[in-house]
Amino acid sequence: MKNAVTKIGRLKLPSSVLNTLLLISLLPLSANAGPREQAKRMHDRLAGVPPTAEVLDQMATSIEQGDANAAAYLAMENPAYYSVTLKNWVTPWTNEDSDVFAPLNDYTATVIGIARDDVDFRQILSGNIIYVGQSSLNLPAYAIDNNNHYQAMEDAEINLKENLIESTQTAVSGLPAEATAGVMTTRAAAKSFFKDGTNRAMFRFTLINHMCTDLEGLKDTSRSPDRIRQDVSRSPGGDSRIFINSCVGCHSGMDPLAQSFAYYQYSYDTENDPDGLNGYLSYNAQGQVDPETGTRVQAKYLINSNNFPFGFITQDDQWHNYWRDGLNKNLGWDESLPTSGFGAKSMGQELANSMQFAQCQVKKVFKNVCLRDPQDNADRAQIDTMTSSFRSNGYRIKQVFADSANYCKGSE
């Protein structure tokens, strides 16, 4: 059977040849790759588009002079670094399906803005911060119950590098400052992770996206089960051994931390808007009482309370980190912080100040730029070096992109 043939301009190549060429393009540069080849790779990996001749010359000169960092930052001046590379990097974090094609939203725009402005990246889990489009763009105003503002930016292919401005969630959505927790309290995150359920999804996907581990990786059956809610059966399927040897391993640590979300809900019209497209993040502020719980706690925290009536009943948003001891002490918690607190903001600070958080961001950037996970001792040493630099130099994520591009640019 003849190979399928693909046209490239006026040239016809067999698909087998095209596949070979694609594989070659992904191989490491040869040992004698010079500054121009290295500059081209750095630009391709960071911006995702070819550099102009002028930019390539400038980058190559910087590399020749021993300043690969300047070359990387020049590549990141290209608007495609923000609208393509960063957008595609962040978007999967905003939804449970990890869909890279999800629309631009306040979660994605905020991380892009934080990266652009060298804001301390820990703010993504605790800051009263959000990025919106310039008012001069004549966009629909930011709204708490739709994504029209960001959808219009995407439809018009707005330059995100030039047209995102920093604001506060308090200013644009009215959320009390003490209730803001970075991307966790954006509308996009609420729609994906606070909608329905018991708010455990927000905690689980925060672990996946920002701590690089799912709950299975944190199971520790040695922790006390005293804060596990009523909806968790102590004898699933009639077998208490399953709870003792499996369920308790995740819930004993998760439930005390997810209590920080007790006052949050994604509210929407379940009959006329079953997908929650026009829903909004609601928060029970001081003085508000949920009619079902009699406290500020959302009713969802009492879902299936008859599964085990003697389980923990959530009365407020006080969280405790039971994982500071036991197997998960190796996540590198900041000992200068308290082991408990109130609300999502302080819980986000607890996560973001861990060694695991910093290392997770570095590993994600490394994979994005180098197109692979760390593979050998040299890669792992580089991850350690970049993590240390990230933590000691203001948690600037753009610098991690630059360092990764430099490391993976190829040898001279």
Side-chain angles (χ1 to χ4, degrees):
M1 180 180 292
K2 294 182 178 180
N3 286 326
V5 176
T6 301
K7 292 183 179 180
I8 301 181
R10 298 169 63 183
L11 179 65
K12 294 182 178 181
L13 292 175
S15 60
S16 59
V17 175
L18 288 173
N19 289 336
T20 301
L21 291 174
L22 177 60
L23 288 172
I24 291 174
S25 71
L26 295 176
L27 292 174
L29 292 178
S30 61
N32 60 355
R36 289 185 68 81
E37 291 83 3
Q38 294 174 353
K40 176 67 164 56
R41 167 167 282 199
M42 291 179 74
H43 197 282
D44 289 350
R45 295 289 179 84
L46 290 170
V49 295
T52 64
E54 180 182 3
V55 168
L56 183 61
D57 287 342
Q58 292 175 352
M59 290 179 64
T61 298
S62 293
I63 292 172
E64 285 179 333
Q65 295 174 346
D67 193 356
N69 192 65
Y73 269 80
L74 184 57
M76 290 187 288
E77 284 297 302
N78 192 300
Y81 169 68
Y82 299 94
S83 61
V84 178
T85 302
L86 283 181
K87 181 177 180 295
N88 290 347
W89 186 56
V90 177
T91 300
W93 311 344
T94 69
N95 59 90
E96 290 194 4
D97 295 329
S98 298
D99 181 8
V100 71
F101 300 109
L104 181 70
N105 53 57
D106 53 356
Y107 186 140
T108 305
T110 297
V111 178
I112 291 173
I114 285 174
R116 183 196 66 187
D117 295 344
D118 279 335
V119 174
D120 186 326
F121 206 67
R122 291 173 295 182
Q123 292 295 304
I124 67 171
L125 295 186
S126 64
N128 185 5
I129 186 171
I130 195 169
Y131 278 77
V132 297
Q134 293 272 12
S135 58
S136 61
L137 297 174
N138 296 317
L139 300 166
Y142 179 94
I144 64 171
D145 59 356
N146 64 63
N147 192 49
N148 296 347
H149 178 77
Y150 298 96
Q151 186 65 60
M153 293 179 69
E154 184 159 68
D155 292 343
E157 299 182 353
I158 296 297
N159 183 328
L160 299 180
K161 175 191 171 188
E162 301 294 338
N163 292 293
L164 286 177
I165 60 171
E166 180 182 348
S167 185
T168 65
Q169 294 178 29
T170 300
V172 302
S173 68
L175 198 63
E178 65 273 13
T180 59
V183 296
M184 294 191 291
T185 48
T186 58
R187 180 182 183 273
K191 180 178 179 295
S192 292
F193 310 126
F194 280 147
K195 181 175 176 283
D196 304 327
T198 60
N199 283 357
R200 291 186 180 100
M202 178 64 78
F203 183 73
R204 181 193 171 210
F205 281 92
T206 298
L207 290 181
I208 292 172
N209 296 321
H210 304 299
M211 299 287 279
C212 291
T213 181
D214 204 341
L215 288 163
E216 286 295 317
L218 300 175
K219 287 180 67 172
D220 182 359
T221 57
S222 70
R223 301 298 88 207
S224 171
D226 65 319
R227 295 287 287 277
I228 300 179
R229 293 184 223 162
Q230 296 171 304
D231 62 331
V232 180
S233 172
R234 270 49 171 187
S235 298
D239 189 345
S240 62
R241 294 175 301 173
I242 297 176
F243 172 78
I244 295 172
N245 292 289
S246 181
C247 304
V248 72
C250 296
H251 282 280
S252 60
M254 171 174 58
D255 282 16
L257 287 165
Q259 189 172 336
S260 61
F261 303 129
Y263 301 158
Y264 298 91
Q265 167 69 298
Y266 185 73
S267 300
Y268 67 103
D269 186 340
T270 56
E271 291 186 7
N272 300 312
D273 183 22
D275 293 327
L277 297 179
N278 297 115
Y280 59 94
L281 173 65
S282 61
Y283 174 79
N284 286 341
Q286 186 72 37
Q288 290 181 280
V289 175
D290 187 284
E292 292 190 41
T293 65
T295 67
R296 291 173 64 185
V297 176
Q298 296 282 353
K300 59 170 54 184
Y301 275 72
L302 293 183
I303 288 176
N304 296 324
S305 59
N306 60 344
N307 281 354
F308 187 71
F310 304 103
F312 184 76
I313 300 174
T314 304
Q315 298 288 343
D316 54 30
D317 65 349
Q318 184 176 24
W319 58 268
H320 288 76
N321 186 0
Y322 284 14
W323 286 334
R324 279 201 173 219
D325 297 307
L327 299 175
N328 295 314
K329 188 174 183 179
N330 63 6
L331 296 181
W333 305 105
D334 186 341
E335 296 296 332
S336 70
L337 295 177
T339 60
S340 66
F342 290 87
K345 181 183 287 291
S346 60
M347 196 278 290
Q349 291 170 342
E350 172 78 341
L351 297 180
N353 280 281
S354 68
M355 176 65 77
Q356 180 77 9
F357 173 85
Q359 191 174 71
C360 175
Q361 314 317 310
V362 171
K363 286 181 176 178
K364 289 188 299 183
V365 173
F366 183 95
K367 183 174 183 178
N368 181 273
V369 175
C370 298
L371 305 181
R372 59 180 172 80
D373 289 313
Q375 296 176 338
D376 53 29
N377 289 337
D379 288 353
R380 287 185 281 274
Q382 177 66 14
I383 292 293
D384 289 343
T385 298
M386 291 194 299
T387 300
S388 177
S389 176
F390 181 50
R391 299 182 74 205
S392 61
N393 289 288
Y395 287 81
R396 294 178 296 119
I397 200 67
K398 197 157 60 172
Q399 183 62 56
V400 182
F401 274 89
D403 291 341
S404 298
N406 181 25
Y407 180 75
C408 294
K409 72 182 184 298
S411 304
E412 291 193 33

